[in-house]
Amino acid sequence: MTKVHPNIEATVAAVEQPSVKCSAKLETADAAVLTVWKKSLLFNCKGFTVFDAKGNLVFRVDTYMAGSGSNGEIILMDSGGKPIFTIRRKRLSLADSWLVYDRETVVNPLFSVRKHMNILNTKCLAHVSSRTTGNCSTNNNGKNIVYEIEGSYAQRSCAMYDENRRRVAEIKQKEAVGGVAFGVDVFRLIVEPKMETSVAMAIVILLDQMYGSSRRFST
């Protein structure tokens, strides 16, 4: 089997050592290129494993098949297992909407992500909204739209735009290695310095919930 990343042995060691620090912070002005693997490193789990360009583990999602995922809650963690965001499905909502909270708190969400339902604009996938003020467009609920995602998640070809229509992140298929293709479960997440890599990864998780396979974490 083709390796997702050559530093996979170091990654497994990092999973077993909670003291490992998250290396997702950008060190240069260039875009961060992450490799996203739709697979948990833990046995009998669903999730994501995310590496940086050097092969270091930066993000994890480990959701047990019969456990915390059953209540519609997903936790994005750093390399050592420390929660970054708690993601919960919004209750009593007609649309597919999710709330994203800071770490393990479940009050005062940082932002919300809503599946785009307008059939007249099929290229738009989702909107990311916040109640904070700023130079943002506003939807009918009085929330500020801070990011808009367009493209096709099924084909792993998406772009994330900020309120000024600047492309701040992209999801792309990962190139084949040695003639062996990775498929849709391994892809690249490219994040510009204008956007936090953790926020971009949270959006990826929710795109997978909205447009991924029927084998969701929350079922």
Side-chain angles (χ1 to χ4, degrees), residues 108-159:
N108 300 323
L110 298 174
F111 56 92
S112 62
V113 182
R114 180 184 177 95
K115 185 176 182 179
H116 186 73
M117 304 298 291
N118 189 344
I119 61 175
L120 299 179
N121 183 6
T122 56
K123 69 177 182 178
C124 183
L125 300 178
H127 297 285
V128 181
S129 302
S130 171
R131 293 190 182 278
T132 59
T133 59
N135 184 24
C136 309
S137 57
T138 305
N139 61 15
N140 294 332
N141 296 324
K143 294 183 179 180
N144 295 313
I145 299 175
V146 291
Y147 297 114
E148 184 174 288
I149 301 91
E150 298 180 355
S152 172
Y153 180 76
Q155 298 178 11
R156 302 302 189 262
S157 179
C158 305

Side-chain angles (χ1 to χ4, degrees), residues 1 33 40 56 66 71 80 86 104 147 150 158 180-182 189 195 199 202 210:
M1 178 180 176
V33 180
S40 169
N56 298 314
N71 62 7
T86 295
E104 293 182 284
Y147 297 114
E150 298 180 355
C158 305
V180 179
F182 287 101
L189 175 61
M195 187 178 194
V199 173
M210 297 172 183

